[in-house]
Amino acid sequence: MKRVVVTGVSAISPIGNDIDTSWKNLLEGKSGIVPVSQFDATEYKSRIAGEVKDFDPKEYIPAKQVKRMERFTQFAVATAQQLVEQTGIKLEGDECKRAGVNIGVGLGGLETIEGQHDKLMKSGPKKITPFFIPIIIANMAAGQVSIFTGARGPNLCISTACASGTHAIGTAYTDIKLDRADVMICGGAESTVTPLGFAGFTALKALSTRNEDPTKASRPFDNGRDGFVMGEGCGLLLLESLDHAQKRGAKILAEVVGFGASSDAFHMTAPPEDGSGMALAMENAIREAGIPANAVDHINAHGTSTKLNDFCETTAIKSVFGEHAKEIAIAANKSQIGHLLGAAGGVEAAFSVKTLETGIIPGTINLTDPDPDCDLDYCKEGPREKQAEYALSNSFGFGGTNACILFKKFEN
């Protein structure tokens, strides 16, 4: 089996259009939640979102091609280009055949579906763009990143709702571990701040309606939480086999040591209250790493700010770690960026790697009145300096699909 390391992280998020800006704003406790500007949300119960701001795709993509890409694909291509530039990796010649892409997407091109459906109803089928299908399909983010980078190895799109990004990283890790590839660009992308996306989640009564106070709306583990805030963006990691990274002299940020996946086998949208499915995914990641559970000292929680998820995740952490659960520093990035759905796992994994690299664990904002049933250490006082050795990043999705990825501070 190959050892797998992280040699780059990149992100376009509601708090920054690159990883350095996003990380800085995360540590400063800044919120990216704002009133929805991408459509008229006046008639919606929830009118706030974690929008990416001042993003110009033409900085990364020729203008003609921009029109043929959904926003989630534009995010992916731009984030991938940042990753390539940051890491200095060159995919040339036979190297391309051993380099792959795996980008998780939860919903795909809702904005184009809505626009083309309107056109169909008003003007008939002849008015539909011939690029309609290539634009909306979820795997186009991975496809376009492959085209732009030249990666010709495995090309996949994992679509497992809000666990998509983490499943994509876990699968990419496995591809390198099993020597199917030397290099993988992996993570998640999403952009569904659209009328239909909002209407769907509103019908589920899943979104926060704290419209008058957007920056305070996402409140993971707080007694006053009233639902999640939808976000958008992209987070990608560059994974390499250790020998490949060392051969090219790459800077190694962390090592991937475990990937755990599981199913609740319970309900379409709700986890079981004992958190058993979430717990099984965490246990599987720790088992693969071959470490005792009490070695984990940081968890980047799924932490959606919904009543049931936060309670169940807390219960699951307690069942996996026992008394050690109280010693783990837990952060919920969604308090600042909202819930990026299929992109959440990618961005939060990038932040987890930054934690191991910098020795700083982000805080969880808006946790002013902790839920008595969510009684662990969620870093509510803000960021803290801690040389964490192991960081676990959790993602859980509708359909009862769970994914956890375990990173280790790199030691040669």
Side-chain angles (χ1 to χ4, degrees), residues 101 103 139-148 155-156:
V101 181
I103 297 178
N139 69 301
M140 195 50 65
Q144 288 285 11
V145 167
S146 176
I147 291 167
F148 273 77
N155 189 274
L156 299 169

Side-chain angles (χ1 to χ4, degrees), residues 8-11 72 75-76 79-80 83 100-106 138 141-142 145 156-173 184-190 233-239 340-350 395 405 407:
V9 294
S10 59
F72 74 94
F75 287 158
T79 309
L83 192 64
V101 181
N102 193 330
I103 297 178
V105 176
V145 167
L156 299 169
C157 169
I158 303 290
S159 188
T160 51
C162 304
S164 299
T166 301
H167 274 125
I169 295 168
T171 305
Y173 153 70
M184 291 294 295
I185 297 170
C186 57
E190 196 81 89
C234 178
L236 298 178
L237 276 57
L238 186 70
L239 303 186
L340 276 55
L341 308 180
V347 173
E348 291 161 15
S395 295
I405 194 84
F407 300 100

Side-chain angles (χ1 to χ4, degrees), residues 134-207:
I135 287 174
I136 67 166
I137 54 178
N139 69 301
M140 195 50 65
Q144 288 285 11
V145 167
S146 176
I147 291 167
F148 273 77
T149 62
R152 296 180 59 203
N155 189 274
L156 299 169
C157 169
I158 303 290
S159 188
T160 51
C162 304
S164 299
T166 301
H167 274 125
I169 295 168
T171 305
Y173 153 70
T174 305
D175 277 341
I176 296 176
K177 185 177 180 180
L178 297 179
D179 201 25
R180 296 170 181 152
D182 295 324
V183 178
M184 291 294 295
I185 297 170
C186 57
E190 196 81 89
S191 178
T192 55
V193 183
T194 73
L196 189 57
F198 260 66
F201 282 113
T202 297
L204 277 172
K205 299 180 179 178
L207 300 180

Side-chain angles (χ1 to χ4, degrees), residues 24-268:
K24 176 178 178 291
N25 286 333
L26 187 74
L27 297 187
E28 291 180 355
K30 293 182 179 177
S31 171
I33 311 303
V34 295
V36 170
S37 68
Q38 296 182 33
F39 68 95
D40 182 359
T42 304
E43 296 184 4
Y44 290 74
K45 289 184 178 179
S46 178
R47 301 187 291 277
I48 52 178
E51 292 186 347
V52 169
K53 301 143 189 92
D54 303 320
F55 172 69
D56 182 0
K58 294 191 289 295
E59 292 181 8
Y60 304 92
I61 305 162
K64 188 175 181 180
Q65 295 183 48
V66 166
K67 298 176 182 177
R68 298 172 181 175
M69 290 186 198
E70 260 275 7
R71 189 168 163 89
F72 74 94
T73 302
Q74 295 170 3
F75 287 158
V77 171
T79 309
Q81 290 187 34
Q82 292 179 10
L83 192 64
V84 169
E85 181 177 354
Q86 173 197 134
T87 59
I89 193 161
K90 295 179 180 177
L91 302 179
E92 300 170 340
D94 288 342
E95 181 93 348
C96 299
K97 300 176 183 176
R98 296 281 297 170
V101 181
N102 193 330
I103 297 178
V105 176
L107 287 170
L110 279 188
E111 184 177 10
T112 300
I113 291 173
E114 293 170 27
Q116 291 294 300
H117 182 264
D118 284 348
K119 193 171 289 186
L120 176 67
M121 293 297 102
K122 293 174 181 174
S123 306
K126 292 183 179 178
K127 294 297 181 181
I128 297 300
T129 171
F131 295 102
F132 173 57
I133 298 299
I135 287 174
I136 67 166
I137 54 178
N139 69 301
M140 195 50 65
Q144 288 285 11
V145 167
S146 176
I147 291 167
F148 273 77
T149 62
R152 296 180 59 203
N155 189 274
L156 299 169
C157 169
I158 303 290
S159 188
T160 51
C162 304
S164 299
T166 301
H167 274 125
I169 295 168
T171 305
Y173 153 70
T174 305
D175 277 341
I176 296 176
K177 185 177 180 180
L178 297 179
D179 201 25
R180 296 170 181 152
D182 295 324
V183 178
M184 291 294 295
I185 297 170
C186 57
E190 196 81 89
S191 178
T192 55
V193 183
T194 73
L196 189 57
F198 260 66
F201 282 113
T202 297
L204 277 172
K205 299 180 179 178
L207 300 180
S208 171
T209 57
R210 201 183 290 262
N211 300 306
E212 306 310 316
D213 201 4
T215 62
K216 301 290 196 307
S218 187
R219 313 178 66 84
F221 307 108
D222 188 86
N223 213 19
R225 66 193 186 276
D226 69 334
F228 75 81
V229 178
M230 195 190 297
E232 62 175 358
C234 178
L236 298 178
L237 276 57
L238 186 70
L239 303 186
E240 297 182 58
S241 66
L242 175 60
D243 52 355
H244 187 276
Q246 290 179 326
K247 186 177 179 181
R248 74 179 187 92
K251 180 182 179 182
I252 297 174
L253 308 180
E255 182 171 2
V256 189
V257 292
F259 168 52
S262 71
S263 176
D264 291 339
F266 177 70
H267 189 271
M268 288 173 66

